[in-house]
Amino acid sequence: MADSLFAGPDATKLSIHQTESPKDLLPPDQLKFGRSFTDHILSATWDAKEGWGTPSIEPYKALSLDPAAAVFHYAFCCFEGMKAYKDAKGNVRLFRPEKNIRRLNTSAVRIALPAFDEEAVLKLLAEYTKTESRWIPEGRGFALYLRPTLIGTEPDLSVSRPQSALLYVIASPVGNYFGSSGMKAISLEACSSPVRAWPGGVGDKKVGGNYAPTIVAQETAGSRGFQQILWLLGDPEVPEQQYITEVGTMNLFVAWINPETKAKELVTAPLDGTILPGITRDSIIDLAQERLVPKGWQVSERRVYMTELKEASKQGRLLEVFGAGTALIVNPIKSISWNGEVIDCGLKAGEEVGEITITMKDWIEDIQYGEVEHPWSVVV
Amino acid sequence: MADSLFAGPDATKLSIHQTESPKDLLPPDQLKFGRSFTDHILSATWDAKEGWGTPSIEPYKALSLDPAAAVFHYAFCCFEGMKAYKDAKGNVRLFRPEKNIRRLNTSAVRIALPAFDEEAVLKLLAEYTKTESRWIPEGRGFALYLRPTLIGTEPDLSVSRPQSALLYVIASPVGNYFGSSGMKAISLEACSSPVRAWPGGVGDKKVGGNYAPTIVAQETAGSRGFQQILWLLGDPEVPEQQYITEVGTMNLFVAWINPETKAKELVTAPLDGTILPGITRDSIIDLAQERLVPKGWQVSERRVYMTELKEASKQGRLLEVFGAGTALIVNPIKSISWNGEVIDCGLKAGEEVGEITITMKDWIEDIQYGEVEHPWSVVV
């Protein structure tokens, strides 16, 4: 196929049709993640003959698709999760949006959906965010969640590359997850079967197929009193081989005393194809390199085996463990149930969050809400 | 949730609304798999409060879904592929339909979609097939392909069990794939990365997420002149560890002389969670047990390593290799490219199909088209 098929959509041709019946805003304390949506949808169609069509912002509406559309049968769907923030001056800001749009393109190509011009989609996204700016709740912790989505729409049951597709963005205002009560540390159940992702699979892409298979395991862990699953890889019969990949839909970070160097070390799983290359993950690594390494910390991307974690906990070397993702930035972890034992993750009695965890949250929020000027935060 | 939520849909309440503008039938030689559809759609909605709603057969129409519907984001979708046949007396027949409906339920439960009453859905499917019977093309090799599909429809971006779902069936008349030219043996490229499925994954379920990630690899193999991919498991760096799982979207059968017993043996991969439990696969195993074992054959479900296949070929012990699935019943295989070599699969010069392969096709078609009475073939 010609490259021109993947040039576009043309942001200069954007048509905007504003709704004539704008919805009422919900009070900030009633916002639930991903349940209520703004007034408009940004969309652009693609087909294999003409490439990308004219993008539009229209009143939020249902999608009308043939029951044979590829997305319903073969999971031709990928997405992104990102947020728009309102700063103290009323500016609208995005956080490293080029990273999300790049990752969406990477996900699309992996599952035979059309590539697109990232600069153009960034411009469209900025325009959409401005159109919906009245929906961005004010205050730290509040944001407008943006959900770029790409689906295969061709009505064809043959298992093949969809000849038509739809790129769209919807938005949902989101509240301060932890509310006024502050952060709350969670308990994890480590799980070696089912597995979330595997070498040669799609665990490093944000494709729909990674998610539906995780729900039942998550519910089962929930029924046993665990808030999230810690996804492991390695033979379920051989505990010594089991290593950490992700937690729930977040990347995982471990802060401990390295047993060899005796230095403080912040460790996370490497980008080996089985974990999502999180943008919060990347930001934490960068900030740690810049601000923790000068204070004597090591920062490492490498496999962490459960036996190592257990040993560190027993020896009092485990300082903090936290999940990292767009939804919460960081989520402190209290303990991990694994192989018949409970691994204590280093929080002191009565403590819900460790120093490194809360510091990372503050550093990133300072940037996201424009309290510190930083190239990662883009005013639209 | 109460079990009553998963009782239904109630087949006795089926409402039928026939189209007032029936489409023209396509000439049998113009039928393409999964591209043209019949006049009606069978559907039933489910929600977590009321359970299954009233099923209906209505004119074929687009689905209208919120852009936040779970299926677009997290691949809450599973399906079945099955066929309706017209026998010489004009009866409409299904082939082991209870197996497909059972498997759909199993797939649904694995990805947190609602279970249903299999007897009721079988009745609805029979009713739908009768409604669409004018669309079943006559003649051996022709059939009406039925596509039961179940999707999560709730507009909610939280990664959780969808609180609403839609079960539907559409149908596409299909031709004789091989046409008048007879069968044609295909060449495979064995692939150890990317990987189709993994222990603890969903490779044994017919869920959408198994399909989109296979397209690019399939296209790449196609560009090198191979018709299908042979999906392997085992370390990509260690050829000795690589074993066969599936071929394209089919199960794989190998007929060879067993090196130890010196008997003829029909071998296929075991149901270890990484391969789809094919209904054609199951039928072939049963027929082989019944009709080949008395003639001295062994029938085995076990791992076949690529090194074993290569050795059998070199020693002249490899008799036939074929894929098995609903679309073609059997698909003869000429050769397999693996680890820098081409494994010859035992067909004689000029031969496109081996004796066991064609015999299996004949046996199964005899049953499907009602030429031999058999409990597997159900007149609706």
Side-chain angles (χ1 to χ4, degrees):
Chain A
M1 275 180 277
D3 280 353
S4 64
L5 279 177
F6 306 117
D10 185 345
T12 66
K13 291 191 177 153
L14 174 67
S15 78
I16 302 183
H17 168 206
Q18 297 259 7
T19 182
E20 284 166 16
S21 47
K23 302 174 204 170
D24 289 337
L25 300 181
L26 275 178
D29 62 347
Q30 287 178 32
L31 296 174
K32 283 188 184 162
F33 173 80
R35 295 283 185 89
S36 60
F37 298 90
T38 61
D39 288 318
H40 300 96
I41 179 170
L42 164 68
S43 58
T45 58
W46 177 90
D47 73 58
K49 285 206 182 96
E50 305 290 336
W52 287 101
T54 306
S56 68
I57 291 173
E58 294 170 285
Y60 192 93
K61 60 172 182 181
L63 304 181
S64 176
L65 290 175
D66 194 288
V71 63
F72 297 135
H73 303 273
Y74 307 128
F76 288 104
C77 50
C78 56
F79 66 95
E80 276 302 319
M82 53 202 298
K83 286 177 173 172
Y85 310 86
K86 206 165 262 181
D87 71 19
K89 296 175 191 155
N91 294 314
V92 173
R93 292 172 174 271
L94 296 173
F95 182 73
R96 310 186 79 185
E98 74 288 354
K99 286 266 188 190
N100 292 94
I101 298 307
R102 163 66 49 88
R103 190 170 63 183
L104 183 62
N105 229 347
T106 313
S107 299
V109 168
R110 176 64 180 84
I111 58 168
L113 287 173
F116 50 80
D117 176 344
E118 292 170 21
E119 282 297 321
V121 170
L122 276 167
K123 277 182 198 152
L124 292 168
L125 189 72
E127 209 52 53
Y128 176 71
T129 307
K130 279 191 271 187
T131 306
E132 301 304 71
S133 62
R134 76 180 183 99
W135 287 93
I136 308 176
E138 285 174 34
R140 201 141 158 159
F142 292 87
L144 182 63
Y145 181 83
L146 301 167
R147 172 55 64 98
T149 310
L150 179 54
I151 59 175
T153 55
E154 192 193 16
D156 179 359
L157 298 183
S158 67
V159 180
S160 58
R161 180 177 290 269
Q163 301 297 298
S164 62
L166 176 70
L167 172 68
Y168 65 91
V169 184
I170 54 177
S172 172
V174 291
N176 191 338
Y177 182 85
F178 291 109
S180 54
S181 60
M183 279 197 171
K184 195 115 181 78
I186 59 174
S187 303
L188 309 184
E189 183 168 44
C191 174
S192 58
S193 183
V195 293
R196 192 197 80 93
W198 52 86
V202 287
D204 59 344
K205 303 296 183 295
K206 218 161 169 70
V207 299
N210 286 335
Y211 295 83
T214 66
I215 306 298
V216 173
Q218 170 65 36
E219 287 178 342
T220 306
S223 72
R224 290 195 279 251
F226 303 100
Q227 283 80 45
Q228 293 284 351
I229 285 180
L230 181 63
W231 298 104
L232 306 181
L233 265 176
D235 192 332
E237 305 295 323
V238 188
E240 294 71 27
Q241 293 182 4
Q242 295 169 13
Y243 59 94
I244 292 169
T245 63
E246 293 191 19
V247 50
T249 58
M250 298 180 282
N251 294 121
L252 189 92
F253 281 85
V254 174
W256 63 15
I257 308 289
N258 183 300
E260 281 148 33
T261 64
K262 313 293 178 197
K264 288 180 178 176
E265 187 182 27
L266 186 65
V267 194
T268 194
L271 300 180
D272 65 358
T274 65
I275 68 160
L276 194 78
I279 291 155
T280 307
R281 173 189 178 281
D282 186 77
S283 305
I284 288 172
I285 292 171
D286 274 14
L287 290 172
Q289 292 283 7
E290 181 192 303
R291 304 180 189 183
L292 294 183
V293 168
K295 293 183 182 170
W297 281 72
Q298 296 178 331
V299 180
S300 310
E301 295 177 63
R302 69 163 181 87
R303 279 192 189 172
V304 174
Y305 287 86
M306 288 305 293
T307 47
E308 294 180 274
L309 203 67
K310 178 178 143 184
E311 194 179 73
S313 176
K314 278 196 176 164
Q315 297 177 349
R317 289 187 290 105
L318 193 51
L319 306 174
E320 299 174 37
V321 181
F322 60 95
T326 294
L328 306 179
I329 307 177
V330 293
N331 197 355
I333 293 159
K334 189 196 304 277
S335 64
I336 303 171
S337 171
W338 174 70
N339 197 32
E341 317 184 47
V342 174
I343 299 174
D344 181 283
C345 292
L347 289 175
K348 298 187 189 78
E351 209 179 48
E352 293 292 339
V353 60
E355 191 190 338
I356 291 302
T357 310
I358 194 73
T359 301
M360 279 297 168
K361 182 170 191 278
D362 288 342
W363 284 346
I364 291 177
E365 279 192 342
D366 281 349
I367 297 170
Q368 288 172 338
Y369 290 88
E371 285 163 40
V372 171
E373 275 304 327
H374 194 284
W376 288 347
S377 183
V378 182
V379 175
V380 299
Chain B
M1 276 179 276
D3 281 351
S4 63
L5 279 178
F6 306 117
D10 186 344
T12 65
K13 292 191 176 154
L14 174 66
S15 78
I16 303 183
H17 168 207
Q18 296 259 8
T19 181
E20 283 166 18
S21 48
K23 302 175 203 169
D24 289 335
L25 299 181
L26 273 179
D29 62 347
Q30 288 178 31
L31 297 173
K32 283 188 183 160
F33 173 81
R35 294 281 186 90
S36 60
F37 297 91
T38 62
D39 289 317
H40 301 95
I41 180 170
L42 165 68
S43 59
T45 58
W46 176 90
D47 73 57
K49 284 207 183 97
E50 304 290 335
W52 286 101
T54 306
S56 67
I57 292 173
E58 293 171 285
Y60 191 94
K61 60 171 184 182
L63 304 181
S64 177
L65 290 175
D66 194 288
V71 64
F72 297 134
H73 303 273
Y74 307 128
F76 287 104
C77 50
C78 55
F79 67 95
E80 277 301 319
M82 52 201 300
K83 285 176 173 174
Y85 309 87
K86 206 164 263 180
D87 72 19
K89 293 173 192 156
N91 295 314
V92 173
R93 293 172 173 271
L94 296 173
F95 181 73
R96 310 186 78 184
E98 74 288 353
K99 286 266 189 189
N100 292 94
I101 298 307
R102 163 64 51 87
R103 191 170 63 184
L104 183 63
N105 228 348
T106 312
S107 298
V109 168
R110 176 65 180 83
I111 57 167
L113 287 172
F116 49 81
D117 176 344
E118 292 170 19
E119 282 296 321
V121 170
L122 276 167
K123 278 181 197 152
L124 292 167
L125 188 71
E127 207 54 52
Y128 175 70
T129 307
K130 280 192 271 188
T131 306
E132 302 305 71
S133 62
R134 78 181 183 97
W135 286 94
I136 309 175
E138 285 175 31
R140 199 137 158 162
F142 292 87
L144 182 64
Y145 181 83
L146 302 167
R147 172 56 62 99
T149 310
L150 180 54
I151 60 175
T153 54
E154 193 193 14
D156 179 359
L157 298 183
S158 67
V159 180
S160 59
R161 179 178 291 269
Q163 301 297 297
S164 62
L166 176 70
L167 172 69
Y168 64 92
V169 185
I170 54 176
S172 171
V174 291
N176 191 337
Y177 181 85
F178 291 108
S180 53
S181 60
M183 278 195 172
K184 196 115 182 77
I186 59 174
S187 303
L188 309 184
E189 183 168 44
C191 173
S192 57
S193 182
V195 176
R196 192 197 81 92
W198 192 264
V202 286
D204 59 344
K205 303 296 184 295
K206 218 162 169 69
V207 298
N210 286 334
Y211 293 84
T214 67
I215 305 298
V216 174
Q218 170 65 36
E219 287 178 342
T220 307
S223 72
R224 290 197 279 250
F226 303 100
Q227 284 80 46
Q228 293 284 351
I229 286 181
L230 182 63
W231 298 103
L232 306 181
L233 265 176
D235 192 331
E237 305 295 324
V238 188
E240 294 70 28
Q241 292 182 5
Q242 296 169 11
Y243 58 93
I244 292 168
T245 63
E246 293 192 19
V247 51
T249 59
M250 298 180 282
N251 294 120
L252 189 92
F253 282 85
V254 175
W256 62 16
I257 308 289
N258 182 300
E260 281 149 33
T261 64
K262 313 294 178 198
K264 288 180 178 176
E265 187 182 27
L266 187 65
V267 194
T268 195
L271 300 180
D272 65 358
T274 66
I275 68 160
L276 195 79
I279 292 156
T280 307
R281 174 190 178 280
D282 186 78
S283 304
I284 288 172
I285 292 171
D286 274 16
L287 290 172
Q289 292 283 7
E290 179 192 304
R291 303 179 190 183
L292 294 182
V293 169
K295 292 183 183 170
W297 282 72
Q298 297 178 331
V299 180
S300 309
E301 294 175 63
R302 70 165 179 87
R303 278 193 190 171
V304 174
Y305 286 86
M306 288 305 294
T307 47
E308 294 181 275
L309 203 67
K310 178 180 145 184
E311 193 179 73
S313 176
K314 279 196 174 163
Q315 297 177 349
R317 288 187 290 104
L318 192 50
L319 306 174
E320 299 174 37
V321 182
F322 60 95
T326 294
L328 307 179
I329 306 176
V330 293
N331 198 355
I333 291 159
K334 192 196 302 275
S335 64
I336 303 170
S337 172
W338 173 70
N339 198 31
E341 314 184 50
V342 174
I343 300 174
D344 181 283
C345 291
L347 289 175
K348 297 187 188 76
E351 211 180 46
E352 293 291 340
V353 59
E355 191 190 337
I356 291 301
T357 309
I358 193 74
T359 301
M360 278 298 168
K361 181 170 193 277
D362 288 342
W363 284 346
I364 291 176
E365 279 193 341
D366 282 348
I367 297 169
Q368 288 173 336
Y369 290 89
E371 284 162 41
V372 171
E373 277 301 329
H374 194 286
W376 287 348
S377 182
V378 181
V379 175
V380 299

